[in-house]
């Protein structure tokens, strides 16, 4: 299978909007239908809210905030302990540090914090695994001539992942998929998820028509054209 991903470094303002209107879904479905008219390949568009849970980011945020709070309290003890240490002060120090850890864990569930604390290669790995599972789950590999292509947008990671089945991967160099991603980026950078995905689908259809053209009278629509949405 061939893969292309858009990672960190490109300001893709996808937000976290996962719910689309019926009109937006229909717009994407019609674009997939049009893109497949001149190719025997099948395009499966997909949007997911996130590709991983990233619990380690919660622990990192908790540890970071608790260390910062502890350091501040110890370096400014003259302010909050003007009369020196007492036995109860140590207990308060522990309580505040534990509370700071809990607040940090909560902050670690927020998307901006996850992106800040999670290495790019780890997010890429999670997106790849999510795409591979979807590839199997939605039978993208079950087309007659192994010509399925999955185009997945993962919102939290701000990544686009294109995964092509064996027959297409053999005919299309990896670098050519970049044109599909770049077309989608033009819409996503404006916060237009639907428009960006439609542009990517259109360019993908043009590319597939070159390497895997449809045959008149023998071009069945093997996979659904509906947008797949998962949380």
């Amino acid at each position: 299978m061939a893969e292309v991903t858009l990672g960190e470094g490109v300001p893709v303002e996808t937000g976290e909007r996962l719910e689309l209107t019926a009109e937006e879904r229909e717009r994407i479905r019609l674009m997939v239908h049009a893109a497949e008219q001149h190719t025997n390949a099948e395009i499966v568009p997909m949007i997911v809210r996130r590709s991983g849970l990233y619990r380690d980011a919660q622990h990192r945020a908790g540890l970071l905030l608790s260390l910062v709070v502890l350091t501040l309290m110890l370096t400014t003890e003259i302010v909050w302990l003007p009369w020196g240490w007492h036995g109860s002060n140590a207990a308060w120090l522990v309580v505040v540090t534990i509370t700071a850890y809990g607040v940090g864990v909560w902050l670690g569930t927020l998307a901006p914090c996850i992106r800040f604390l999670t290495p790019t290669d780890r997010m890429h790995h999670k997106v790849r695994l999510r795409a591979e599972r979807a590839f199997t789950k939605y039978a993208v590999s079950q087309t007659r001539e192994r010509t399925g292509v999955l185009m997945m947008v993962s919102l939290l990671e701000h990544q686009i992942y294109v995964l092509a089945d064996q027959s297409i991967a053999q005919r299309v160099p990896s670098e050519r998929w970049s044109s599909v991603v770049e077309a989608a980026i033009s819409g996503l950078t404006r916060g237009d998820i639907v428009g960006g995905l439609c542009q990517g689908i259109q360019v993908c259809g043009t590319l597939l028509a070159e390497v895997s053209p449809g045959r008149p009278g023998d071009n069945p629509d093997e996979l659904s054209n509906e947008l797949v949405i998962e949380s």
Side-chain angles (χ1 to χ4, degrees):
M1 292 183 285
E3 61 183 59
V4 168
T5 183
L6 164 67
E8 190 178 64
V10 181
V12 181
E13 297 300 332
T14 57
E16 304 299 327
R17 189 171 72 97
L18 191 64
E19 296 77 17
L20 301 182
T21 65
E23 291 75 16
E24 290 174 323
R25 287 172 177 261
E26 179 65 8
R27 178 184 171 190
I28 293 173
R29 188 192 70 80
L30 291 175
M31 181 58 70
V32 173
H33 177 74
E36 293 178 350
Q37 290 305 295
H38 303 292
T39 176
N40 67 348
E42 297 290 323
I43 302 172
V44 177
M46 183 176 184
I47 298 177
V48 300
R49 188 183 300 279
R50 59 196 296 166
S51 293
L53 295 177
Y54 305 106
R55 292 190 179 93
D56 50 340
Q58 299 177 38
H59 297 302
R60 289 194 188 106
L63 288 172
L64 181 62
L65 186 59
S66 62
L67 286 174
V68 170
V69 170
L70 179 60
T71 300
L72 287 174
M73 292 186 71
L74 291 177
T75 55
T76 61
E77 62 175 298
I78 190 64
V79 176
W80 64 283
L81 290 176
W83 298 284
W85 279 87
H86 299 284
S88 61
N89 297 140
W92 278 110
L93 192 65
V94 172
V95 169
V96 171
T97 302
I98 292 175
T99 302
Y101 178 82
V103 173
V105 169
W106 175 77
L107 291 173
T109 64
L110 304 180
C113 191
I114 291 174
R115 284 191 287 265
F116 178 74
L117 294 173
T118 305
T120 304
D121 57 349
R122 177 167 171 75
M123 287 195 293
H124 174 82
H125 177 69
K126 289 291 187 180
V127 173
R128 177 175 62 82
L129 291 179
R130 184 68 182 267
E132 290 175 351
R133 288 197 298 269
F135 200 85
T136 301
K137 179 179 180 180
Y138 296 102
V140 184
S141 62
Q142 300 303 311
T143 58
R144 182 178 59 183
E145 299 181 28
R146 302 294 298 272
T147 55
V149 176
L150 175 70
M151 185 184 304
M152 187 183 82
V153 177
S154 193
L155 299 179
L156 183 145
E157 293 84 358
H158 287 180
Q159 292 189 12
I160 304 168
Y161 206 91
V162 180
L163 197 57
D165 205 351
Q166 181 178 355
S167 177
I168 298 297
Q170 292 174 346
R171 307 178 206 176
V172 182
S174 297
E175 57 271 14
R176 291 205 64 186
W177 292 111
S178 298
S179 62
V180 177
V181 175
E182 290 169 1
I185 290 172
S186 62
L188 293 173
T189 51
R190 300 190 302 270
D192 183 5
I193 299 174
V194 176
L197 191 54
C198 284
Q199 291 177 44
I201 292 169
Q202 184 178 32
V203 173
C204 185
T206 301
L207 172 60
L208 293 172
E210 295 177 11
V211 300
S212 184
R215 294 182 292 271
D218 184 24
N219 189 18
D221 194 359
E222 299 179 78
L223 299 177
S224 172
N225 297 332
E226 298 290 338
L227 172 68
V228 177
I229 295 182
E230 290 185 352
S231 58

